[in-house]
Amino acid sequence: MNKVKKAIIPAAGLGTRFLPATKAMPKEMLPIVDKPTIQYIVEEAICSGIEDIIIVTGRSKRSIEDHFDKNHELEADLECKQKNELLEIVRGVTNLVEIHCVRQKEPLGLGHAIWCARKFVAGEPFAVLLGDMIIESEVPCLKQMIDVYEERPGSIIAVEEVPWESVSSYGVIQGDMINKKLNRITNLVEKPKINPPSNLAMIGRYILDPKIMDILEHQQPGVGGEIQLTDAMKQLAADQNMYSFRYEGKLYDVGSKLGFLKANIDFALKRDELGSGLWEHLYELTGGAAQDAGGMREARRIG
Ligand code: UTP
């Protein structure tokens, strides 16, 4: 069995839900506190044992490439001013792992973005981590999936139960239950408008068999006129084992404004230098309702 060592991070979408911020800046560079979204995702991949990462970038995605590249001028300035802590942070980003980039010339859909990285995959199983989905968890979400893959080779799709009324915003799976966490997938539907087969939604983490690239090569546009990864996965599932996996963790869709704001608040509250100031602010805003939670947090911190 091949190990999963490669990951694709698609980050070439237009980010229309976040306009005008994303007119000239990719949404994957929007910061959660002080770190761009995409760095959290790269870190999840590395902590899961991924050795090679390719980011699919598009128009105006130059800043993503620059972020993971060396910045000699900035490093020299920080060194000169003996700002060693900052210097370490800046160098740390560059030293994370070797990151490759490939361009998706037109945003034709997620399936097309993945297909743009076909040469990088070179016949090996690979992971996909969407560039705008952050998952906070004790064990990185992708690591949880790789552990499943090692027991059950095949494609593994992370899912989460979502409210039935919002199912039409997601790609959802249909499957036969193996245990509480695993289903064998029998069908997948992108953004079902009627009769959704389940409320188990795909949340942006996949381990895929490289055969998906052959399918994507001929994939016709689907929902929204985009080349959908879900449609290609449906074909793959007809041929090979594909499992849905209920991961453990908290998902932030930072490509949506509400998800972005929630992530910023939650991550900032956990930071020593920001937490108490933010709790105070929330206390004032909520007329004291945030007090209990704040008190609990303080108790945890002291304990
Ligand atoms: P989304 O559908 O959330 O991205 O795709 P989007 O199209 O940029 O967002 P909105 O709806 O217009 O706000 C999920 C991931 O797939 C990438 C996106 O960058 C995002 O990380 N993607 C999407 C591509 O790389 N290429 C595409 O053609 C479409």
Side-chain angles (χ1 to χ4, degrees), residues 10-18 27-28 104 107-110 113 130-132:
L14 292 176
T16 53
R17 282 171 294 164
F18 236 112
K27 67 175 164 184
E28 293 80 4
Q104 183 189 22
L108 298 178
L110 176 59
L130 294 194
D132 56 356

Side-chain angles (χ1 to χ4, degrees), residues 9-19 22 26-28 38 41 55-58 61 64 104 106-114 116 128-133 190-191 204 206 226-228 253 255-256:
I9 303 180
L14 292 176
T16 53
R17 282 171 294 164
F18 236 112
L19 283 168
T22 46
K27 67 175 164 184
E28 293 80 4
I38 197 160
I41 290 155
I55 301 177
V56 184
T57 61
K61 301 285 177 164
I64 295 181
Q104 183 189 22
E106 270 183 89
L108 298 178
L110 176 59
H112 181 260
I114 302 304
C116 289
V128 173
L129 301 94
L130 294 194
D132 56 356
M133 293 289 189
E190 186 61 36
K191 302 190 173 68
Y206 313 79
E226 296 191 350
I227 297 176
Q228 297 288 353
D253 174 3
S256 79

Side-chain angles (χ1 to χ4, degrees), residues 7-302:
I8 303 176
I9 303 180
L14 292 176
T16 53
R17 282 171 294 164
F18 236 112
L19 283 168
T22 46
K23 186 169 173 237
M25 180 181 57
K27 67 175 164 184
E28 293 80 4
M29 285 301 289
L30 290 169
I32 305 303
V33 186
D34 51 9
K35 209 196 284 186
T37 297
I38 197 160
Q39 190 177 330
Y40 289 91
I41 290 155
V42 165
E43 287 172 359
E44 179 189 330
I46 295 167
C47 293
S48 303
I50 293 295
E51 294 169 13
D52 259 322
I53 295 177
I54 193 161
I55 301 177
V56 184
T57 61
R59 192 188 56 86
S60 78
K61 301 285 177 164
R62 186 64 201 273
S63 55
I64 295 181
E65 298 175 11
D66 287 346
H67 180 69
F68 293 104
D69 205 355
K70 216 170 161 59
N71 184 334
H72 294 281
E73 202 183 339
L74 176 63
E75 287 186 25
D77 185 75
L78 294 173
E79 208 163 6
C80 177
K81 292 177 181 152
Q82 298 192 339
K83 294 189 171 172
N84 296 332
E85 221 171 284
L86 287 176
L87 183 63
E88 218 170 281
I89 291 172
V90 167
R91 283 190 176 147
V93 177
T94 317
N95 296 336
L96 277 175
V97 72
E98 182 147 4
I99 291 175
H100 315 271
C101 288
V102 65
R103 288 250 159 180
Q104 183 189 22
K105 290 193 181 123
E106 270 183 89
L108 298 178
L110 176 59
H112 181 260
I114 302 304
W115 178 78
C116 289
R118 64 200 175 281
K119 287 189 184 142
F120 164 83
V121 161
E124 289 180 38
F126 61 95
V128 173
L129 301 94
L130 294 194
D132 56 356
M133 293 289 189
I134 293 180
I135 297 168
E136 218 204 359
S137 54
E138 215 163 283
V139 177
C141 177
L142 182 59
K143 172 80 175 71
Q144 298 174 37
M145 296 168 70
I146 290 175
D147 290 346
V148 173
Y149 173 85
E150 288 179 352
E151 278 188 14
R152 290 178 191 267
S155 297
I156 317 280
I157 319 300
V159 293
E160 176 167 299
E161 227 171 291
V162 297
W164 283 98
E165 58 274 19
S166 59
V167 159
S168 61
S169 311
Y170 295 89
V172 292
I173 66 108
Q174 181 172 12
D176 301 326
M177 189 168 165
I178 296 172
N179 59 41
K180 267 201 220 153
K181 289 189 166 181
L182 279 180
N183 280 38
R184 189 184 305 275
I185 295 180
T186 52
N187 192 15
L188 302 100
V189 189
E190 186 61 36
K191 302 190 173 68
K193 291 280 171 272
I194 44 162
N195 301 331
S198 79
N199 63 341
L200 287 178
M202 296 182 264
I203 51 84
R205 296 292 184 272
Y206 313 79
I207 292 175
L208 294 171
D209 186 277
K211 285 203 183 77
I212 194 95
M213 293 297 185
D214 300 332
I215 300 173
L216 283 169
E217 175 106 33
H218 306 288
Q219 190 64 53
Q220 295 302 308
V223 173
E226 296 191 350
I227 297 176
Q228 297 288 353
L229 181 62
T230 306
D231 295 339
M233 290 195 316
K234 183 177 169 165
Q235 268 197 58
L236 189 66
D239 256 20
Q240 303 186 347
N241 286 334
M242 187 178 282
Y243 304 98
S244 69
F245 169 65
R246 292 186 202 210
Y247 68 100
E248 274 172 30
K250 185 165 167 50
L251 176 74
Y252 296 93
D253 174 3
V254 298
S256 79
K257 288 172 202 164
L258 189 58
F260 170 79
L261 292 169
K262 284 181 181 172
N264 265 296
I265 291 172
D266 287 5
F267 282 57
L269 284 174
K270 289 191 187 111
R271 292 274 289 263
D272 284 342
E273 77 280 23
L274 298 170
S276 39
L278 189 52
W279 273 121
E280 261 170 49
H281 178 64
L282 292 175
Y283 178 76
E284 281 167 22
L285 269 184
T286 60
Q291 186 181 28
D292 286 348
M296 272 163 57
R297 175 186 170 276
E298 200 51 33
R300 269 205 306 273
R301 222 161 71 86
I302 293 162

